[in-house]
Amino acid sequence: MPVTPPEDLMREHGVLKRVLLVYREGMRRIGRGERVPSRELHEGARVIREFIEQYHEENEEKHVFPRLRQAGRLTGTVDTLQLQHQRGRVLTGRILRATGPSGAPGAWARRRLVADMAAFVRMYEPHEAREDTVVFPAFRDLLPPRELLELSEVFEEDEHRRFGPNGFADMVNRVADIEKNLGIHDLARFTPRV
């Protein structure tokens, strides 16, 4: 059985959440005065740009948000989410520049990078939570099963065209490689001692 569009979008949020963990690790290291993990942060921002902003959010803006607006459902929420997409793209651009080859991390640049990553994380944690628990279920309720199936095929074809036959798995592997480079790939590391 194919993955429905809401489930597909929620699954893609998993990639976003893992990059948010990369950003948190970068902020932690910078806050402790360690070297800026520029390469890893840059690669994380590239995943955000290519997979989340230019693919995932495009699908939301093209297929989900218009349908909800047309039905008169969650219009204020959808407007806020769309604005957050725009602001997220600005932050991603700044993170990419700050972590690129010419992004010499002086004290001011380091503080700015941390502030931009913190703003991105702070916005996208509630953003994706609201989409997963309110927006996507409402969208699913609006579509008849046949339309859900057709849209699943549209999403799948677009993903394969943009990212190859293993697009989602390849993105997950890209993020896993970043996590390994930062030493945060071991899930057990996040288990608290009680």
Side-chain angles (χ1 to χ4, degrees), residues 129-164:
R130 190 66 54 95
E131 286 182 339
D132 287 348
T133 60
V134 177
V135 173
F136 299 156
F139 174 67
R140 183 185 182 119
D141 289 345
L142 288 175
L143 294 183
R146 181 184 54 76
E147 282 188 57
L148 278 171
L149 183 59
E150 289 170 1
L151 191 54
S152 293
E153 292 170 5
V154 168
F155 279 20
E156 192 72 13
E157 288 170 12
D158 189 31
E159 181 182 308
H160 291 167
R161 181 181 55 77
R162 291 177 188 233
F163 305 110

Side-chain angles (χ1 to χ4, degrees), residues 85-101:
H85 286 177
Q86 294 165 4
R87 299 281 167 83
R89 291 173 186 132
V90 170
L91 292 169
T92 298
R94 293 198 318 221
I95 294 166
L96 284 166
R97 284 188 298 280
T99 57

Side-chain angles (χ1 to χ4, degrees), residues 39-68:
R39 188 170 44 100
E40 293 82 3
L41 294 174
H42 191 78
E43 181 61 18
R46 283 185 57 223
V47 169
I48 294 292
R49 174 62 39 98
E50 296 165 18
F51 190 67
I52 299 302
E53 294 172 353
Q54 295 176 345
Y55 170 67
H56 172 89
E57 289 179 355
E58 270 186 24
N59 279 332
E60 291 175 344
E61 293 171 4
K62 184 177 179 181
H63 301 287
V64 178
F65 296 172
R67 190 66 180 251
L68 288 166

